[in-house]
Amino acid sequence: MPNEQLKEDNIQKTLESGLKCFLMKGIEGTQRNDIVALSGISRRSVLRYFNCKEKFVIAVLKFFGDYQYEYGCQLYYKNLKPHCSGLEALKAYLNAVKTIFLENSDYFALLAEGELYLGHSKCQTNSVINNYVGNFTASSKALQDILEQGIKDGSIKHFTNFSPQESVVFCQSFFGMLIHLALSKGMGVYTLEDCMAIIDKFLEMFFASIQ
């Protein structure tokens, strides 16, 4: 139906504009008028789609999180070689996440800002990841499948009893590191180059520990 399609298009424009405003002005500093001005959607419509800022913040974080997940899947399958080992698949998976951080490190910092805005006294990384990182459950399941493949084919040797819960914990730890690096970059503690060097060192040590 035309009206339904128009509504969906307007909501997407509103979310895209909200993301841009959050990245430019911060969540706290963004007002409804900023969204209206950037999106071209009427104030009344924006209010009808999202009747409070908290709901809008959650919608924006999930909207971009889902986009990042789909983009990550594209990167993963693009770099995945036919008939590769589980270890090679794991490297492709984590390198895809690394590429997303390289291209969109501010998004990871925005996750923490969103958590703080939504009422937590301090940033709880696991809560941020579980709630707002796009398809986190699917990401953890994909990691578990890759690890099981590597264990079966012998390319991964030191996680022979790796459980689904441990794959969740590893995902939380890895994404948590990215969030904290992004926050440090935003505060001027690290440059993007520093962050990438830390990620590369982490991955180097991790891969050395499982082969």
Side-chain angles (χ1 to χ4, degrees):
M1 296 175 64
N3 287 343
E4 284 300 313
Q5 186 60 53
L6 178 62
K7 178 181 177 181
E8 289 180 16
D9 291 345
N10 284 347
I11 289 175
Q12 172 133 343
K13 284 182 184 178
T14 303
L15 293 172
E16 290 172 351
S17 298
L19 179 63
K20 290 177 181 177
C21 287
F22 288 169
L23 291 173
M24 288 188 296
K25 298 186 173 187
I27 293 174
E28 194 75 47
T30 297
Q31 304 299 320
R32 185 175 289 115
N33 286 342
D34 298 320
I35 312 296
V36 170
L38 189 60
S39 67
I41 308 300
S42 71
R43 182 181 175 87
R44 181 178 177 183
S45 293
V46 171
L47 186 59
R48 185 166 67 248
Y49 302 145
F50 304 100
N51 59 10
C52 71
K53 189 172 181 178
E54 286 75 13
K55 289 182 180 178
F56 184 63
V57 169
I58 291 171
V60 169
L61 293 176
K62 288 186 174 180
F63 163 74
F64 199 56
D66 289 343
Y67 164 78
Q68 295 287 18
Y69 175 78
E70 291 175 10
Y71 179 49
C73 288
Q74 291 173 11
L75 290 173
Y76 170 67
Y77 287 112
K78 180 181 178 181
N79 296 323
L80 199 62
K81 299 176 182 178
H83 312 297
C84 69
S85 68
L87 180 62
E88 291 170 324
L90 181 60
K91 289 180 178 179
Y93 171 93
L94 293 177
N95 281 329
V97 178
K98 187 178 81 169
T99 299
I100 290 174
F101 181 88
L102 176 63
E103 296 179 1
N104 296 287
S105 62
D106 289 345
Y107 165 67
F108 288 88
L110 189 63
L111 289 174
E113 186 184 352
E115 180 78 353
L116 290 169
Y117 178 82
L118 293 168
H120 295 270
S121 58
K122 62 179 181 178
C123 178
Q124 300 176 15
T125 303
N126 288 355
S127 177
V128 175
I129 293 168
N130 289 333
N131 288 327
Y132 310 125
V133 172
N135 290 284
F136 178 75
T137 301
S139 296
S140 299
K141 180 61 169 62
L143 176 63
Q144 175 66 20
D145 291 343
I146 292 169
L147 287 166
E148 287 180 357
Q149 175 191 340
I151 291 167
K152 287 179 181 178
D153 65 29
S155 60
I156 296 175
K157 298 181 174 62
H158 295 288
F159 278 149
T160 52
N161 295 312
F162 205 75
S163 69
Q165 182 58 35
E166 285 175 305
S167 68
V168 172
V169 171
F170 175 78
C171 271
Q172 287 175 335
S173 299
F174 187 54
F175 281 111
M177 180 186 69
L178 298 183
I179 289 171
H180 287 294
L181 284 175
L183 286 171
S184 297
K185 172 179 168 286
M187 292 185 293
V189 177
Y190 294 132
T191 65
L192 181 58
E193 290 74 20
D194 293 333
C195 293
M196 299 312 297
I198 292 170
I199 294 169
D200 286 338
K201 188 63 178 177
F202 170 86
L203 293 177
E204 178 188 338
M205 294 173 63
F206 172 69
F207 286 126
S209 72
I210 65 173
Q211 296 180 57

